[in-house]
DNA sequence: ATGACTGATGGAATCAGA
């Protein structure tokens, strides 16, 4: 089973690129972030015509997440990250698919830091850590994936010294990510490619893609029950080099679910 | 160190992204 995460940076303007990629790679599951569209503006018909069923949580102007499936329909089990009734931002969606629990997230950017946006990022992170602990404890096969807006280590940044004060790389942010990982999650990309330079995002500024000035901020984390099924992982880098691209590239894993028994 | 680009909104200029 192939599962991908892709921050599309606006599903309306990215629709042609998204459909091209879906047709090409045919992932079984695609988690999307930054729809930047209200609930009623999700291009449901075009997605259906491409062979996918979808659930989504839209929001006007910003945020927005979706889960697409090619086989069985996604069964929604959660909308919005638990822990703060007043948080109205559309950043979390959870679905049961083929016996797996797929969690699609868009963690806040948090810049400028310090400041209220950074505080929101860290608070959101704490809620995620609490929720993720429950998922781990359940023993269920879980994929926790999306745009985490965190570079976990220096290897994940083209020029670490320039990012130390940035919300995506500050010590507090990296520490939060480490605490999440300490629950027992498997960072699929890093596990399959230890020590390798892998990026999932390149800024639109200054020809960042051409210079390979990238960041690894989109992640797929596997619960212990699923980690042994990991067969392959990668980034569809070329998608970032096409016409009207998102600033993120699709990032994916391949699971061999036959091995779960 | 910043924001050279891009998208959404709304119909120009501003916010947000990372």
């Amino acid at each position: 089973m192939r599962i991908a995460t892709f921050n599309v940076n606006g599903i309306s303007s990215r629709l042609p690129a998204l459909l091209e990629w879906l047709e090409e790679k045919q992932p079984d599951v695609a988690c999307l972030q930054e729809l930047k569209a209200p609930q009623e503006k999700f291009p449901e018909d075009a997605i259906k015509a491409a062979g996918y069923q979808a659930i989504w949580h839209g929001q006007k102007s910003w945020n927005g997440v979706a889960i697409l499936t090619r086989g069985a329909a996604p069964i929604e089990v959660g909308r919005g990250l638990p822990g703060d009734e007043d948080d109205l931002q559309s950043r979390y969606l959870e679905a049961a698919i083929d016996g797996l629990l797929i969690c699609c997230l868009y963690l806040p950017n948090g810049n400028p830091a310090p400041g209220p946006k950074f505080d929101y990022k860290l608070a959101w992170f704490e809620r995620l850590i609490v929720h993720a602990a429950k998922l781990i404890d359940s023993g269920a096969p879980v994929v926790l994936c999306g745009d985490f807006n965190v570079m976990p280590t220096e290897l994940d940044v083209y020029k670490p010294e320039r990012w130390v004060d940035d919300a995506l790389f500050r010590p507090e942010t990296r520490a939060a990510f480490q605490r999440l990982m300490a629950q027992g999650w498997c960072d699929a990309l890093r596990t399959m490619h230890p020590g390798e330079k892998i990026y999932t995002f390149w800024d639109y500024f200054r020809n960042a893609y051409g210079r390979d000035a990238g960041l690894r901020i989109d992640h797929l984390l596997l619960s212990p029950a699923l980690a042994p099924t990991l067969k392959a992982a990668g980034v569809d880098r070329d998608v970032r080099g096409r016409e009207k691209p998102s600033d993120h590239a699709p990032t994916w894993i391949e699971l061999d679910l036959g091995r779960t028994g």
Side-chain angles (χ1 to χ4, degrees):
Chain A
M1 174 182 261
R2 190 178 319 183
I3 301 168
T5 180
F6 185 16
N7 178 322
V8 295
N9 187 17
I11 194 159
S12 299
S13 49
R14 206 67 56 225
L15 191 57
L18 173 63
L19 294 175
E20 184 183 34
W21 170 74
L22 286 174
E23 170 65 24
E24 210 175 77
K25 303 292 183 182
Q26 310 224 339
D28 298 291
V29 179
C31 293
L32 309 181
Q33 303 86 33
E34 271 209 275
L35 303 178
K36 289 182 166 180
Q39 190 69 12
E40 66 274 15
K41 289 280 181 62
F42 184 85
E44 188 178 11
D45 294 343
I47 297 291
K48 253 186 194 153
Y52 285 84
Q53 307 194 58
I55 57 172
W56 64 96
H57 192 193
Q59 183 183 333
K60 189 181 175 185
S61 302
W62 299 302
N63 310 317
V65 285
I67 299 176
L68 280 49
T69 62
R70 207 155 62 87
I75 299 163
E76 182 173 327
V77 296
R79 173 171 298 233
L81 184 65
D84 183 357
E85 306 274 312
D86 299 326
D87 184 3
L88 300 177
Q89 300 192 21
S90 300
R91 295 179 175 276
Y92 190 83
L93 199 53
E94 208 172 278
I97 298 161
D98 237 7
L100 304 185
L101 190 62
I102 306 288
C103 310
C104 172
L105 67 91
Y106 175 45
L107 208 139
N109 175 305
N111 278 306
K117 291 190 175 181
F118 191 57
D119 295 341
Y120 174 66
K121 175 178 196 152
L122 294 180
W124 205 95
F125 224 139
E126 291 307 317
R127 287 161 56 203
L128 179 63
I129 287 169
V130 169
H131 186 59
K134 287 178 185 161
L135 296 175
I136 284 263
D137 291 345
S138 76
V142 184
V143 180
L144 186 60
C145 68
D147 177 358
F148 283 70
N149 271 315
V150 181
M151 295 86 88
T153 71
E154 298 202 339
L155 181 58
D156 304 311
V157 199
Y158 68 98
K159 196 166 277 196
E161 66 273 18
R162 289 207 177 169
W163 288 83
V164 286
D165 292 326
D166 190 277
L168 280 70
F169 199 53
R170 283 177 69 99
E172 304 94 315
T173 307
R174 277 184 276 170
F177 189 81
Q178 278 177 13
R179 278 191 290 124
L180 174 66
M181 296 308 293
Q183 294 176 347
W185 298 95
C186 164
D187 177 343
L189 271 284
R190 190 47 79 212
T191 299
M192 293 305 292
H193 305 280
E196 199 177 306
K197 185 177 81 176
I198 308 168
Y199 300 143
T200 66
F201 166 92
W202 296 261
D203 210 309
Y204 288 124
F205 294 125
R206 298 176 302 261
N207 188 33
Y209 182 66
R211 297 185 296 119
D212 199 23
L215 310 172
R216 189 173 77 97
I217 56 177
D218 300 275
H219 307 295
L220 296 115
L221 310 184
L222 309 180
S223 71
L226 270 185
T229 71
L230 180 60
K231 202 166 72 175
V235 179
D236 293 331
R237 280 182 64 105
D238 58 304
V239 172
R240 178 64 180 82
R242 296 178 184 172
E243 280 296 295
K244 267 181 81 72
S246 167
D247 37 10
H248 296 249
T251 306
W252 54 267
I253 56 172
E254 182 89 37
L255 302 179
D256 182 0
L257 295 176
R259 285 192 225 158
T260 50

